[in-house]
Amino acid sequence: MSTIDWLIVLAYLLATLGIGVYLARRASSSMEEFFVSGRSLPWWLAGTSMAATTFSIDTPLYIAGVVGNRGIAGNWEWWAFAMSHVVLIYVFARLWRRSEIVTDAELIELRYGGRPAAVLRAAKAFLFAVPINCIGIGYIMLAAVKVIGVLGIWEGLGFGPDEQILGTDPKLLTVLGVAVLVLLYAGFSGLWGVVTTDFFQFFLALFGAVAVAFYALRSPRVGGLHGLVEKVQATTDFDVLAFIPFTLGQEGNWFGVGWSAFAGISASTFLAYVLLQWWTFRRSDGGGEFIQRLAASKTEAEAEKAAWFFNLMHYVVRTWPWVLVALAALVLYPDLEDRELGYPRLMLDFLPSGMLGLVVASLVAAFMSTVSTQINWGASYLTHDLYRRFMRPQATQRELVRAGRVASVLVTALGAAAAFFAQDVAAVFRLVIAIGTGPGVVLILRWFWWRINAWAELAAMVAGFFTGLFTTVVPVLRIDDFGMRLAVITGITTLIWVAVMYLTPPERPETLVAFYRRVRPGGPGWAAQRAATGLPPAQSLARDLRRVLAALLLLFGLMFGIGGGLLLRWDVAVAMTAVALAGGLWLYRIRGEERDA
């Protein structure tokens, strides 16, 4: 990196810290200002922040590894979550905003009552704030260490590749230094600082991804989009360009549809992604960081718009720059052992001076946006759901803000400790999915069926965590096929929580009535509470589910239509554009029905 590159990165870091200091006074007024921005976020800021927190420095490395090892179809590992994210738009966004909570753990004592609810709230707050959250911070830091290693920053200062400072890898020390800067602005300004910096960080990170794709495709060894499509398949022994790993017209298969012999992922894994993972994962009804943004939105309508904007940015806009870079890396570095390093290698080899500084700043931005969210989100559990709820119920607002800042330091320190043990970004990503699989169906049903109780949710959360952990890291119990692993986790967890639910009493009628009165969910599962209160549901569940189906056609149609055009698969581009148009027209028609009603 040249001097101008370093100046660009330094200017970005100072600007980010300045924003945090500027917003510190506003965040200090109350706990709601610190953790949910006074419930005054506009949709575009909340939605951009949701998109920014899912784009960290690990993401392009993860995509490069997935495409390099499993092909484009391997991205269904995260594309499958689009289904739960579209459900979030039309089913859960308004429910979360209507509940007026600070954290999703707080909902537990609205939905359930008594000691079981208190135990569940404390357990969930600790589990999400410490092990799950800190594992996430750790593997983000691992990705940052990999990028610094490829850029050769410390080698340029005269250090050997294995030389240490204070017994520690200097690359990790660099990452920890940036994390301390993140802690400063996140601790000063709370969610206000996080979402405001997220807005600038997201578009800078997006620009960086597009820039790397542009310069990589310009290489004569790639030859633009035409050359990429022609050359990339020759570098692998599987169908790297397939969006969906099926083949058509095969004799002997049902309706001529069969599994591709050259697919980069197994049939069981693909089916687990699209049929199982998205509704069994712990984020099936939103996910903690997203819920924080939805709860902070101005109104229910703004929350719904924020969720839509996130989906468009995350799946339609960002997917293809990452995929193109990953494919280019296959062509340019066919013998690269660690495919995750393809992204930073392309940066270093093809970006001119100045542009390299901007793209490095974009990766730093991606790192900071996600880590700042993780810090603030984890601190909200420790402060609101543990400290305020169980230790200091009478705490003043100023004391709670101070506790939030102390909790931010603790979460950062624990996340940094996790970074010392992480080894592989994709492997840790799969561990996070595994330990979070199982409780998703309970999280959905608790909104729409009165019989779900606190013991059932606690059993699902604990069973899913330990089953996922054991089947991933314990050699004797490890299940290598990822799809089979998710199926086993889901099956065991379901047996446990269903048994626990029927062996324990239901929630008290007054608790159920109070929850329905506040949230007013749709569907047939609250008929008795609806009759007791005389209040109609605030949403039509049947209409919302039709909107979900239409929106899925629109979202995936746009995503694959754009991808088909970029990869010169014009049949796919035309067909998926037609699907997107059909979904859009269906949504418009449903909206007209809603207005007429």
Side-chain angles (χ1 to χ4, degrees):
M1 290 175 62
S2 65
T3 302
I4 186 65
D5 295 322
W6 282 111
L7 289 175
I8 290 171
V9 174
L10 180 62
Y12 163 74
L13 293 173
L14 292 176
T16 302
L17 183 60
I19 292 173
V21 173
Y22 175 76
L23 293 169
R25 181 184 296 273
R26 185 168 188 175
S28 299
S29 61
S30 70
M31 187 183 67
E32 284 207 350
E33 287 287 351
F34 192 84
F35 287 125
V36 288
S37 300
R39 305 192 193 280
S40 58
L41 289 185
W43 64 267
W44 52 270
L45 189 56
T48 303
S49 181
M50 291 166 68
T53 194
T54 57
F55 184 0
S56 184
I57 194 170
D58 65 285
T59 316
L61 274 69
Y62 161 75
I63 301 295
V66 166
V67 174
N69 295 317
R70 287 176 268 158
I72 292 177
N75 287 288
W76 280 100
E77 187 167 86
W78 64 278
W79 283 345
F81 287 115
M83 289 176 268
S84 59
H85 289 151
V86 171
V87 173
L88 176 66
I89 299 172
Y90 291 117
V91 178
F92 292 115
R94 290 175 179 263
L95 292 173
W96 281 114
R97 182 59 183 85
R98 205 176 301 132
S99 66
E100 294 192 337
I101 44 83
V102 174
T103 69
D104 54 334
E106 182 184 355
L107 181 81
I108 290 168
E109 289 195 291
L110 297 178
R111 174 61 177 82
Y112 314 119
R115 185 174 180 81
V119 171
L120 174 60
R121 181 175 180 180
K124 184 169 186 175
F126 176 80
L127 188 65
F128 281 22
V130 180
I132 290 178
N133 189 37
C134 293
I135 287 172
I137 293 175
Y139 84 80
I140 293 167
M141 290 185 175
L142 167 65
V145 169
K146 285 191 172 189
V147 172
I148 292 172
V150 172
L151 293 177
I153 293 172
W154 284 94
E155 286 77 5
L157 295 175
F159 287 83
D162 298 319
E163 193 169 347
Q164 294 188 335
I165 299 176
L166 302 176
T168 304
D169 186 341
K171 297 185 288 294
L172 182 56
L173 290 178
T174 305
V175 174
L176 295 179
V178 177
V180 170
L181 179 63
V182 175
L183 172 63
L184 287 175
Y185 80 75
F188 277 137
S189 55
L191 189 64
W192 273 116
V194 172
V195 298
T196 303
T197 52
D198 274 354
F199 182 80
F200 299 103
Q201 289 166 344
F202 171 76
F203 289 106
L204 179 59
L206 180 61
F207 166 79
V210 173
V212 176
F214 175 77
Y215 280 96
L217 291 173
R218 286 182 60 193
S219 168
R221 292 169 56 196
V222 176
L225 291 174
H226 284 87
L228 179 70
V229 172
E230 291 175 0
K231 296 172 183 177
V232 70
Q233 188 60 68
T235 66
T236 66
D237 56 359
F238 56 86
D239 189 359
V240 68
L241 295 174
F243 294 170
I244 300 176
F246 287 105
T247 58
L248 300 177
Q250 286 189 343
E251 295 183 5
N253 290 312
W254 290 358
F255 307 107
V257 178
W259 189 256
S260 172
F262 300 102
I265 56 176
S266 67
S268 61
T269 297
F270 176 76
L271 294 175
Y273 291 157
V274 298
L275 300 179
L276 193 68
Q277 177 176 284
W278 63 273
W279 59 268
T280 61
F281 191 58
R282 60 180 172 81
R283 296 175 179 271
S284 59
D285 67 342
E289 306 97 315
F290 291 174
I291 291 166
Q292 189 181 31
R293 271 64 172 174
L294 299 175
S297 298
K298 288 181 179 180
T299 63
E300 294 174 28
E302 293 276 303
E304 185 178 296
K305 291 177 183 177
W308 239 129
F309 190 69
F310 155 72
N311 274 278
L312 290 174
M313 292 295 103
H314 184 54
Y315 294 105
V316 177
V317 175
R318 283 198 313 211
T319 286
W320 298 110
W322 290 334
V323 169
L324 291 175
V325 170
L327 294 174
L330 278 171
V331 174
L332 293 166
Y333 312 116
D335 299 322
L336 186 64
E337 184 175 349
D338 185 350
R339 288 294 179 191
E340 292 179 354
L341 297 180
Y343 191 95
R345 280 281 301 273
L346 285 171
M347 290 168 47
L348 195 63
D349 292 347
F350 291 94
L351 297 181
S353 181
M355 182 59 70
L356 178 60
L358 282 172
V359 174
V360 170
S362 78
L363 285 181
V364 175
F367 171 82
M368 294 175 73
S369 66
T370 303
V371 171
S372 64
T373 290
Q374 300 290 107
I375 291 172
N376 186 266
W377 177 55
S380 70
Y381 286 123
L382 296 178
T383 305
H384 185 59
D385 298 299
L386 293 178
Y387 181 77
R388 184 186 194 187
R389 171 63 179 84
F390 297 102
M391 300 176 190
R392 289 278 294 170
Q394 73 278 18
T396 64
Q397 291 297 314
R398 187 174 296 276
E399 182 182 347
L400 290 172
V401 171
R402 188 163 57 247
R405 287 172 173 154
V406 172
S408 298
V409 175
L410 179 61
V411 169
T412 306
L414 292 172
F420 284 88
F421 300 99
Q423 297 296 323
D424 180 81
V425 173
V428 180
F429 183 82
R430 285 190 160 197
L431 172 62
V432 170
I433 291 178
I435 63 177
T437 294
V441 65
V442 177
L443 300 182
I444 294 172
L445 287 176
R446 68 181 178 177
W447 292 96
F448 303 108
W449 187 28
W450 66 273
R451 186 57 182 86
I452 299 293
N453 61 13
W455 292 118
E457 185 173 334
L458 180 60
M461 182 178 68
V462 174
F465 180 85
F466 284 106
T467 307
L469 187 65
F470 292 157
T471 56
T472 301
V473 302
V474 178
V476 178
L477 301 175
R478 179 179 169 83
I479 301 174
D480 291 323
D481 186 284
F482 191 61
M484 187 60 65
R485 190 190 313 172
L486 294 184
V488 169
I489 295 168
T490 301
I492 293 175
T493 304
T494 301
L495 288 174
I496 291 173
W497 76 255
V498 170
V500 168
M501 182 183 70
Y502 282 111
L503 291 172
T504 53
E507 299 297 328
R508 293 181 301 173
E510 54 268 31
T511 301
L512 297 172
V513 166
F515 176 77
Y516 177 80
R517 190 185 301 276
R518 182 161 179 172
V519 181
R520 291 191 293 149
W526 295 94
Q529 291 73 30
R530 194 172 301 128
T533 60
L535 296 172
Q539 295 171 246
S540 168
L541 183 58
R543 183 168 57 228
D544 288 345
L545 292 177
R546 285 193 292 130
R547 292 200 292 178
V548 166
L549 293 175
L552 284 171
L553 293 177
L554 176 58
L555 187 71
F556 280 108
L558 287 174
M559 186 172 76
F560 290 131
I562 292 172
L566 288 172
L567 296 177
L568 311 179
R569 299 178 59 182
W570 302 115
D571 54 338
V572 174
V574 171
M576 297 310 296
T577 300
V579 169
L581 287 172
L585 290 173
W586 191 9
L587 269 180
Y588 181 78
R589 182 176 178 181
I590 295 171
R591 185 177 181 183
E593 294 173 2
E594 187 178 16
R595 284 197 305 265
D596 294 341

